Amino acid sequence: MAVFNQKSVSDMIKEFRKNWRALCNSERTTLCGADSMLLALQLSMAENNKQHSGEFTVSLSDVLLTWKYLLHEKLNLPVENMDVTDHYEDVRKIYDDFLKNSNMLDLIDVYQKCRALTSNCENYNTVSPVQLLARKIIFSYLNLLVNSKNDLAVAYILNIPDRGLGREAFTDLKHAAREKQMSIFLVATSFIRTIELGGKGYAPPPSDPLRTHVKGLSNFINFIDKLDEILGEIPNPSIAGGQILSVIKMQLIKGQNSRDPFCKAIEEVAQDLDLRIKNIINSQEGVVALSTTDISPARPKSHAINHGTAYCGRDTVKALLVLLDEEAANAPTKNKAELLYDEENTIHHHGTSILTLFRGCKSICWKINNWNEFWKCSSGQK
C-alpha cells in the first residue's frame, strides 16, 4: 500500500480548508486520517457480515485485503488482478454512509476534491499501544469539540475514564441515534438536557433504555460542557487550548498511579499538543485567516446566561482544526492489529474495543440501502 507523503497531505488539507465552502457542507467537517479510515472500514465490513450472515465480526486478513482494494479503487489505480472480499459494493456503501453521517471526509475524499497528492512508500509510523491509546483518546475529545457528529470519537471516549458506560450504554445510545436520525452525542445531550431542564412534564418515559445510564451520561455531557465553556469563554486561543488539554489530562489521570505507563503517556501527549497548538497560533499571527474563515463559534449551552460569550471560541476552533488536520495527515500506524483488535483492559482503560462496541448495534448508519425488511426480521436482536 502506498502511504502518502505527509507534507503533500498537509498542503492538500490546507488548500481544502481555504476552499471548504466549495468542497463540503460544513466548516466543522473533520478529516478521517488513515487509522480512522481503517477502523471505519472494519466496522463497515462487520456490519455487512451481520447483514448477510448474522454475525457482527470480521477477520483481520479480510480487513487488510479490502483496505488495499479500497485504496486502489478510490485512487483509480488498477484493481483487475486484485483479490476482493464478497459484497464489496455493500461494504463501500456502508463505509461512505458512516463517514457522511459522522460529518467526516477521508483523506482520499479530500484528494479527489483537491487533486494534489504525492506518495511515499516508506513512511510508516510505529508507536507503542499505550501511546496509541493516549493519542486516540485526547484527539477524540478534541475532535468531538469541533465535530459533534463524530460517532467514532464518542465511541473512543464515552467510557474513558470509567463512567459506567460500557457496551450496553453505547448500544442503547446508538439505537436511539438511529431511530431519531441524530448523532450519538446529540442524542445523549438532548436526553440529559431534558432531564436537567425540562421538568416532569418533559421527562423521558420510564421505559426509555437510557434512563439506566443517567449518571454516566450526565457525567460525560457535563464534562464536555466544561470543555465547551473554556472554548466559548476564553478569547485567547493559546490559553484556551492549553486549559482544554489540562482539563482533559486531569480527568484521564485522576486517581491513577502517576507511574502508570498510561498516565505518563497522557502527560507526554498533552504536553506535546499544547506546544503544537501554541506553535500553530504563533505561526499564523498576522495572517488574515487560519486556513478557514467565518467558522461557526463554540456551541452555547441552551441555558447559558450570556450567549455572546460563545462567540469567543472561533479562533480556538480554527487552531484545533489545524491540529486535527495535522493528525489526519499522519501516516498510518504500522501495528494495525493493536489498532483494530485491541482487547478490553489491555488497550482501553475501562473501555471496550471499537468493534465490540458497535457489535451490539443494529446498524452503524442511520439508513443503509433497502435493508428495512432485514431489521424487521431481526427486531428482537440487539
Side-chain angles (χ1 to χ4, degrees):
M1 178 191 82
V3 181
F4 310 132
N5 178 274
Q6 188 171 344
K7 184 179 186 302
S8 296
V9 176
S10 297
D11 291 343
M12 176 191 71
I13 291 173
K14 290 176 182 177
E15 188 66 24
F16 166 78
R17 290 296 176 196
K18 290 178 182 177
N19 300 281
W20 70 266
R21 287 181 179 83
L23 302 175
C24 65
N25 296 324
S26 170
E27 67 270 36
R28 287 197 179 213
T29 297
T30 48
L31 303 186
C32 197
D35 287 344
S36 293
M37 288 172 64
L38 192 56
L39 282 166
L41 179 63
Q42 179 195 37
L43 294 175
S44 302
M45 294 182 69
E47 174 65 38
N48 179 70
N49 287 343
K50 182 176 180 180
Q51 165 62 27
H52 291 282
S53 66
E55 292 293 329
F56 190 89
T57 186
V58 61
S59 68
L60 177 62
S61 59
D62 281 349
V63 174
L64 297 182
L65 178 68
T66 307
W67 171 242
K68 184 176 181 180
Y69 189 92
L70 174 72
L71 294 181
H72 277 69
E73 183 193 53
K74 294 194 73 170
L75 289 168
N76 296 316
L77 298 174
V79 296
E80 291 81 5
N81 298 320
M82 296 181 63
D83 294 328
V84 63
T85 56
D86 294 336
H87 310 293
Y88 172 77
E89 293 302 322
D90 291 339
V91 170
R92 176 67 189 274
K93 178 66 167 65
I94 299 169
Y95 174 87
D96 291 339
D97 284 349
F98 181 70
L99 294 189
K100 180 180 178 181
N101 293 333
S102 297
N103 192 28
M104 291 194 292
L105 290 173
D106 72 27
L107 289 181
I108 303 179
D109 293 332
V110 177
Y111 162 65
Q112 298 291 3
K113 294 175 183 293
C114 296
R115 301 289 183 179
L117 196 68
T118 58
S119 63
N120 174 0
C121 297
E122 302 300 326
N123 187 21
Y124 281 108
N125 180 30
T126 303
V127 297
S128 69
V130 70
Q131 279 281 345
L132 178 63
L133 171 63
R135 293 182 65 83
K136 289 295 181 185
I137 292 172
I138 293 181
F139 270 106
S140 291
Y141 273 111
L142 299 180
N143 210 310
L144 187 61
L145 278 178
V146 173
N147 176 14
S148 63
K149 293 183 179 180
N150 193 327
D151 287 355
L152 200 57
V154 175
Y156 259 106
I157 60 178
L158 183 65
N159 201 38
I160 301 179
D162 186 11
R163 300 182 176 97
L165 299 175
R167 180 179 177 183
E168 180 182 354
F170 185 82
T171 298
D172 291 339
L173 281 169
K174 190 60 183 174
H175 287 175
R178 177 179 55 83
E179 291 167 3
K180 297 178 180 180
Q181 298 191 13
M182 297 162 60
S183 71
I184 291 178
F185 180 74
L186 187 54
V187 164
T189 301
S190 176
F191 176 76
I192 294 302
R193 292 284 186 266
T194 301
I195 290 178
E196 292 179 344
L197 305 173
K200 292 183 179 180
Y202 298 91
S207 59
D208 191 327
L210 295 183
R211 273 192 166 276
T212 62
H213 314 300
V214 170
K215 182 178 179 181
L217 289 176
S218 179
N219 178 289
F220 178 63
I221 297 302
N222 289 334
F223 179 68
I224 301 300
D225 280 346
K226 183 185 297 186
L227 301 180
D228 263 330
E229 287 174 359
I230 297 171
L231 188 65
E233 294 177 2
I234 299 178
N236 186 313
S238 181
I239 296 175
Q243 287 202 19
I244 287 170
L245 288 169
S246 178
V247 170
I248 293 173
K249 179 187 72 173
M250 296 309 297
Q251 179 79 351
L252 294 174
I253 67 176
K254 184 179 179 180
Q256 303 286 332
N257 188 326
S258 61
R259 286 185 266 182
D260 186 287
F262 175 75
C263 291
K264 290 183 177 180
I266 291 293
E267 291 270 8
E268 291 170 0
V269 172
Q271 184 177 12
D272 174 62
L273 297 186
D274 186 27
L275 179 60
R276 285 172 60 184
I277 288 175
K278 288 178 171 57
N279 288 339
I280 288 169
I281 295 165
N282 290 337
S283 67
Q284 312 234 357
E285 283 184 350
V287 179
V288 175
L290 238 172
S291 299
T292 58
T293 57
D294 297 328
I295 199 163
S296 59
R299 295 184 299 276
K301 280 186 168 183
S302 60
H303 55 284
I305 296 175
N306 183 4
H307 287 270
T309 61
Y311 291 87
C312 294
R314 294 176 186 271
D315 289 340
T316 305
V317 171
K318 291 176 185 178
L320 291 180
L321 268 173
V322 174
L323 182 68
L324 292 168
D325 288 347
E326 289 178 355
E327 180 68 7
N330 283 338
T333 54
K334 193 172 184 180
N335 42 328
K336 293 180 176 59
E338 286 93 342
L339 174 71
L340 296 176
Y341 290 93
D342 45 74
E343 298 293 336
E344 287 188 46
N345 300 322
T346 59
I347 296 298
H348 283 64
H349 276 44
H350 309 298
T352 306
S353 73
I354 299 299
L355 184 65
T356 300
L357 282 178
F358 279 91
R359 182 176 288 128
C361 304
K362 289 183 179 180
S363 171
I364 66 168
C365 295
W366 299 327
K367 297 179 180 179
I368 301 177
N369 294 335
N370 297 314
W371 294 354
N372 291 335
E373 290 304 314
F374 170 78
W375 297 129
K376 289 179 182 178
C377 295
S378 61
S379 59
Q381 303 177 11
K382 281 193 175 184

